[in-house]
């Protein structure tokens, strides 16, 4: 029995939800997304409650989802991992796009890059997620679900499997007219205004200048000189890659935050459209689904509901066909019934 216990794979998760209460860019459904995800991880996939770290900016939260705390929680989770372990990160909150910093371009690439917006606005960028994934032990897996705007490509240099550059199998009829929803997006100008108000520096400065002044070493690696650049495609291809990104939308799209009165299937709770779609697909399909199948089915659900966002999948070819969170048939049974009756 001792041998079986020590060899059993660990299943570790970090869940982050930012509602930004009281701010101009307040959201409603992000903490609800995290609570639903936690219930599903435990009931369906067999995660131990003690191995699911939750960071929200809700009232009375013990650990706030600041940029430094999110990166620390993910680094701690990865440090515990061994080959064969399953790591999961869910983020619900605002996303943004960061333009290139003048005079700091890399390889002539002038495109805007993706980032999530923690509660203290200390951005966590695609470069940070690339560095985290590169530390995952070979043979383990790191699955990331990001229900935020411009979330496609949040793991830098990850291969696109479903997205704007790859034909999707879920193309359907034109979307139905949908009621207005709140986009989980902070425009770059609004980001600068907020950072300027905190740093005291003119908003004409690049976000990197504000973030480095405010957070120093805790600012994104993207903004720290030699560590701020993207990996070349050739270098990335040589690295063992255990990252799997399920994004709520394409890089050029927004993800919707759905108000309580607008979400019938969520039991009247505000939620993220993508998070709700993932929960609906999992509830309807208790048997294991591949990462590709889950994203394709979530796309179809959102299309039927009239949302103009297209979830994407970024990972290796092998991980695209691997079961979501390495679910095994034996994990279905009664556990899926518990999940279906929970608040999804």
């Amino acid at each position: 029995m001792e041998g079986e216990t020590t060899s059993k794979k660990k299943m570790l998760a970090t869940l982050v939800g930012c509602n930004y209460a009281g701010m101009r860019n307040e959201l409603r459904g992000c903490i609800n997304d995290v609570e639903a995800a936690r219930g599903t991880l435990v009931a369906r996939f067999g995660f131990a409650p003690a191995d699911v770290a939750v960071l929200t900016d809700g009232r009375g939260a013990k650990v706030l989802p600041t940029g430094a705390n999110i990166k620390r929680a993910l680094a701690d989770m990865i440090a515990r991992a061994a080959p064969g372990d399953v790591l999961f990160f869910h983020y619900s909150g605002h996303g943004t796009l960061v333009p290139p910093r003048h005079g700091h371009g890399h390889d002539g690439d002038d495109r805007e890059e993706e980032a999530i917006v923690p509660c203290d606005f200390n951005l966590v960028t695609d470069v940070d997620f690339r560095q985290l994934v590169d530390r995952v032990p070979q043979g383990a897996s790191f699955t990331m679900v990001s229900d935020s705007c411009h979330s496609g490509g949040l793991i830098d240099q990850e291969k696109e499997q479903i997205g704007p550059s790859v034909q999707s199998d879920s193309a359907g009829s034109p979307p139905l007219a949908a009621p207005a929803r709140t986009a989980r997006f902070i425009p770059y100008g609004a980001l600068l205004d907020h950072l300027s108000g905190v740093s005291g520096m003119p908003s004409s400065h690049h976000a990197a200048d504000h973030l480095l002044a405010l957070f120093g070493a805790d600012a994104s690696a993207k903004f720290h000189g030699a560590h701020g650049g993207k990996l070349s495609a050739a270098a990335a291809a040589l690295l063992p890659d255990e990252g799997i990104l399920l994004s709520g939308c394409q890089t050029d799209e927004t993800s919707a935050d759905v108000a309580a009165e607008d979400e019938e299937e969520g039991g009247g709770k505000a939620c993220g459209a993508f998070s709700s779609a993932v929960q609906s697909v999992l509830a309807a399909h208790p048997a294991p689904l591949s990462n590709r199948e889950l994203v394709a089915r979530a796309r179809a659900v959102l299309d039927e509901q009239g949302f103009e966002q297209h979830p994407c999948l970024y990972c290796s070819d092998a991980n695209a066909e691997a079961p979501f969170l390495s679910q095994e048939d034996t994990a279905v049974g009664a556990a899926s019934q518990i999940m279906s009756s929970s608040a999804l």
Side-chain angles (χ1 to χ4, degrees):
M1 292 294 292
E2 286 186 6
E4 293 180 6
T5 302
T6 56
S7 63
K8 183 179 179 181
K9 67 182 178 184
K10 295 189 291 293
M11 307 188 75
L12 311 173
T14 299
L15 313 179
V16 174
C18 297
N19 277 347
Y20 316 91
M23 300 185 67
R24 181 173 56 182
N25 303 103
E26 182 173 0
L27 297 172
R28 301 291 182 182
C30 300
I31 295 176
N32 291 338
D33 290 349
V34 164
E35 292 173 349
R38 184 180 185 278
T40 300
L41 292 178
V42 173
R44 174 171 180 148
F45 294 100
F47 283 68
D51 288 331
V52 180
V54 176
L55 286 73
T56 75
D57 58 358
R59 184 177 302 174
K62 295 181 179 179
V63 181
L64 290 173
T66 64
N69 285 342
I70 292 172
K71 288 186 286 188
R72 186 176 300 113
L74 292 174
D76 290 346
M77 180 174 72
I78 291 170
R80 293 179 58 191
D85 290 348
V86 177
L87 311 182
F88 180 65
F89 173 51
H90 178 106
Y91 171 76
S92 281
H94 280 304
T96 194
L97 289 172
V98 183
R101 194 177 176 191
H102 181 67
H104 292 73
H106 299 273
D107 299 325
D109 188 357
D110 292 330
R111 74 177 184 88
E112 296 178 306
E113 295 193 65
E114 307 82 8
I116 64 171
V117 185
C119 68
D120 63 347
F121 282 58
N122 183 12
L123 304 182
V124 183
T125 70
D126 56 344
V127 172
D128 298 310
F129 289 118
R130 175 77 268 162
Q131 292 185 350
L132 287 164
V133 167
D134 286 345
R135 301 210 303 266
V136 174
Q138 193 165 7
S141 64
F142 179 96
T143 301
M144 174 176 170
V145 170
S146 189
D147 194 349
S148 56
C149 292
H150 307 295
S151 47
L154 259 176
I155 301 177
D156 191 27
Q157 298 290 350
E158 199 65 61
K159 182 176 181 179
E160 182 180 313
Q161 298 286 347
I162 297 177
S165 300
V166 179
Q167 182 66 37
S168 171
D169 295 330
S170 60
S173 57
L176 302 172
R181 274 96 177 200
T182 301
R184 293 183 168 182
F185 170 53
I186 294 184
Y188 184 68
L191 174 72
L192 285 179
D193 288 343
H194 174 87
L195 293 175
S196 178
V198 179
S199 70
M201 299 168 59
S203 59
S204 57
H205 285 258
H206 190 276
D209 300 322
H210 297 279
L211 293 168
L212 289 169
L214 289 167
F215 302 107
D218 284 333
S220 171
K222 176 178 175 60
F223 308 130
H224 284 283
H227 299 289
K230 293 166 61 67
L231 293 171
S232 69
L238 297 175
L239 295 171
D241 195 338
E242 312 298 345
I244 304 166
L245 169 64
L246 290 71
S247 67
C249 62
Q250 297 176 176
T251 299
D252 60 349
E253 294 179 334
T254 59
S255 291
D257 191 67
V258 185
E261 60 271 15
D262 213 10
E263 177 55 34
E264 296 179 1
E265 295 186 12
K269 289 185 177 182
C271 64
F274 177 55
S275 294
S276 179
V278 168
Q279 293 286 348
S280 296
V281 171
L282 291 175
H285 300 85
L289 289 169
S290 71
N291 291 300
R292 185 185 299 278
E293 290 173 319
L294 179 56
V295 172
R297 290 180 183 275
R299 273 192 166 215
V301 168
L302 291 173
D303 183 65
E304 291 173 3
Q305 295 175 345
F307 289 96
E308 296 185 13
Q309 64 187 80
H310 301 86
C312 300
L313 175 65
Y314 296 81
C315 61
S316 67
D317 294 343
N319 280 333
E321 311 308 329
F324 177 64
L325 295 182
S326 301
Q327 181 183 352
E328 301 173 358
D329 288 305
T330 54
V332 181
S336 65
Q337 297 177 4
I338 298 173
M339 184 204 71
S340 298
S341 62
S342 65
L344 297 178

